[in-house]
Amino acid sequence: MENNTALNYSMLGNNSGDLHTDFQNAEEPEKWGFWLKTVLTPIIVFAGIIGNILSLIVMKSKALRHKSYSQYLSALAVFDTLTLIIRQIRSVDEYSRDNSSSGVIFHNFDDIGCKIFNFTEHICYLMSSWLIVLMALERLIAVCMPFKKFLIRRRSGATVVIIVLFISMSLSQAFRLVMVEQLESRNCGASDSFIELYSNLHIYFYHMTLTFILPVTFVLVCNGLILYKIFKIRNEINSRVEQKNRHHRVMRKTHRTTCMLLTVSFTYLGTLLPLLTLSLALDIIVKARGREAYIFYVSVTPYLDIAIVVSLINYAANFFIYILSGKNFRYELKKCFYSQTTSIRSLTVRSSKETKEEMIRL
């Protein structure tokens, strides 16, 4: 989720008389949260990009590429990486704006550049959220019906589902290609003729519905049913004498993968909920209290910056989750590095042998 809570607040303020003037004359928010965010963001972005690249390499390895969940995790690694890059661009522009009158990035954008960047930014955020939903749904089917191959559980089917999801998310954000432009403040935002409609679409449709209510509800329901089914099956296995049949082996393997993907889902919920909660609370207070809400905005701004840093962890933590909870992932990662090391050694041995043979011939 992007750091546009202050932007939302300003847009709402522009619709309420002299509130924007009050913003300029009122006390500035404390900076400790901003500086902490500025320092931690590049660290998280760098670690996340490296981790996502390694995750993509492992998920595309020969042993895992045929798995349906590897398609979702590969797509998640791509969109998480794009989200981290966009977040770093935002951070650089915010820092430059804090030290000068205008940012170094969006200052040079034209209308088309603003439209494309804004559209791409929100598509990446939505795809990262809804791929978690697809993973939760895929795991629910895998646990409840492990021997049935639905479209969402096939490799080709997973690719089709991801493409359909991308098209759907793109259509849902098409209004940004029309309403966003380069403003007089040399920043990207909605034009005056669309400001009210854009604010409602951004806050209530994108922010509350697509980013918060729907994905969180789907993930919580799916994960709850998965955990219930896992505990139920484990109790049945423990109560039986014969535990070494094919069904039980398949279920144990499925449960290990499911636990890893559940950790990814709960990390998504845990890292995004603080920012979502603060943002929604701020939007509600702005609507209810008008000018008086700025006092609350000033007091909560440092904590919003911290919540943004916490939410950024969601896009960088998956690789480390795979390392800690995925046995197959650790094995395939070692095999990738071992095969590269072996090939380098074999090339070195070959070259040394050829050198020796040439010396003997001479």
Side-chain angles (χ1 to χ4, degrees):
M1 182 180 177
E2 72 283 10
N3 178 24
N4 55 4
T5 306
L7 177 61
N8 297 341
Y9 193 83
S10 300
M11 288 191 300
L12 293 174
N14 288 336
N15 297 327
S16 57
D18 298 328
L19 185 56
H20 185 66
T21 305
D22 293 342
F23 288 170
Q24 296 174 341
N25 298 331
E27 180 183 356
E28 289 293 328
E30 295 183 14
K31 290 290 187 179
W32 61 267
F34 171 78
W35 290 113
L36 191 61
K37 179 183 68 175
T38 303
V39 172
L40 292 179
T41 295
I43 298 174
I44 298 174
V45 168
F46 178 77
I49 290 175
I50 297 300
N52 288 333
I53 292 174
L54 291 175
S55 299
L56 185 62
I57 293 173
V58 174
M59 290 303 165
K60 290 301 180 180
S61 63
K62 189 175 181 180
L64 296 179
R65 69 179 64 167
H66 66 283
K67 303 287 185 182
S68 59
Y69 66 82
S70 70
Q71 307 305 310
Y72 301 116
L73 294 180
S74 298
L76 185 62
V78 171
F79 284 103
D80 281 354
T81 301
L82 293 175
T83 301
L84 290 170
I85 294 172
I86 290 171
R87 181 57 249 163
Q88 183 59 46
I89 293 173
R90 286 281 186 187
S91 180
V92 171
D93 190 73
E94 290 166 13
Y95 177 79
S96 63
R97 284 182 179 277
D98 187 71
N99 290 275
S100 62
S101 59
S102 61
V104 297
I105 297 177
F106 302 112
H107 178 79
N108 299 317
F109 273 31
D110 56 5
D111 288 346
I112 296 177
C114 285
K115 292 175 187 295
I116 294 175
F117 184 87
N118 191 278
F119 177 78
T120 304
E121 178 183 19
H122 293 88
I123 290 299
C124 290
Y125 283 114
L126 285 176
M127 287 297 294
S128 293
S129 297
W130 282 90
L131 282 169
I132 301 291
V133 175
L134 289 182
M135 281 167 38
L137 182 60
E138 191 268 350
R139 282 298 94 188
L140 179 62
I141 296 173
V143 170
C144 296
M145 292 168 282
F147 297 108
K148 291 185 178 180
K149 288 292 184 180
F150 291 87
L151 178 67
I152 195 173
R153 291 205 61 215
R154 297 193 184 102
R155 178 186 176 185
S156 58
T159 304
V160 172
V161 171
I162 293 171
I163 293 174
V164 171
L165 176 65
F166 179 78
I167 295 173
S168 301
M169 294 298 103
S170 299
L171 292 175
S172 72
Q173 302 303 302
F175 67 93
R176 301 183 186 277
L177 297 175
V178 177
M179 300 180 185
V180 174
E181 62 182 27
Q182 174 70 280
L183 304 177
E184 293 181 0
S185 60
R186 308 305 295 171
N187 193 13
C188 296
S191 60
D192 292 337
S193 57
F194 293 115
I195 184 67
E196 186 174 357
L197 177 59
Y198 180 85
S199 300
N200 291 329
L201 286 172
H202 177 79
I203 294 172
Y204 299 108
F205 177 61
Y206 165 78
H207 198 64
M208 293 183 64
T209 304
L210 293 181
T211 307
F212 180 62
I213 296 175
L214 288 181
V216 169
T217 302
F218 276 118
V219 171
L220 285 176
V221 170
C222 290
N223 287 355
L225 293 174
I226 289 170
L227 291 174
Y228 170 76
K229 188 67 176 180
I230 287 176
F231 288 128
K232 182 179 178 181
I233 292 174
R234 283 183 177 176
N235 291 333
E236 291 177 356
I237 291 176
N238 292 332
S239 63
R240 293 180 183 178
V241 179
E242 263 188 46
Q243 297 184 9
K244 293 185 178 180
N245 53 42
R246 178 174 175 267
H247 175 71
H248 292 160
R249 287 197 302 271
V250 171
M251 290 308 299
R252 288 194 189 95
K253 187 176 180 181
T254 302
H255 290 175
R256 285 195 298 268
T257 303
T258 301
C259 289
M260 181 185 75
L261 299 180
L262 280 176
T263 306
V264 174
S265 298
F266 284 119
T267 301
Y268 157 77
L269 294 174
T271 54
L272 290 188
L273 277 179
L275 179 58
L276 287 167
T277 304
L278 284 174
S279 300
L280 293 177
L282 181 59
D283 291 333
I284 293 171
I285 291 173
V286 167
K287 287 290 189 182
R289 299 177 62 182
R291 299 182 183 182
E292 298 177 0
Y294 187 73
I295 300 174
F296 176 77
Y297 169 72
V298 170
S299 62
V300 81
T301 295
Y303 302 99
L304 276 170
D305 291 329
I306 299 302
I308 290 167
V309 175
V310 173
S311 69
L312 197 61
I313 296 174
N314 171 65
Y315 308 105
N318 289 341
F319 172 75
F320 304 98
I321 294 173
Y322 305 153
I323 290 291
L324 294 175
S325 59
K327 185 178 179 181
N328 290 339
F329 183 87
R330 291 195 299 269
Y331 175 76
E332 291 299 325
L333 183 63
K334 290 179 182 177
K335 196 163 70 172
C336 288
F337 282 103
Y338 178 76
S339 61
Q340 292 178 0
T341 306
T342 305
S343 61
I344 292 172
R345 287 179 178 176
S346 62
L347 288 173
T348 305
V349 171
R350 283 182 185 176
S351 62
S352 63
K353 286 182 178 179
E354 290 174 357
T355 304
K356 287 181 181 178
E357 289 177 356
E358 289 178 358
M359 292 295 292
I360 292 171
R361 289 173 184 172
L362 289 173

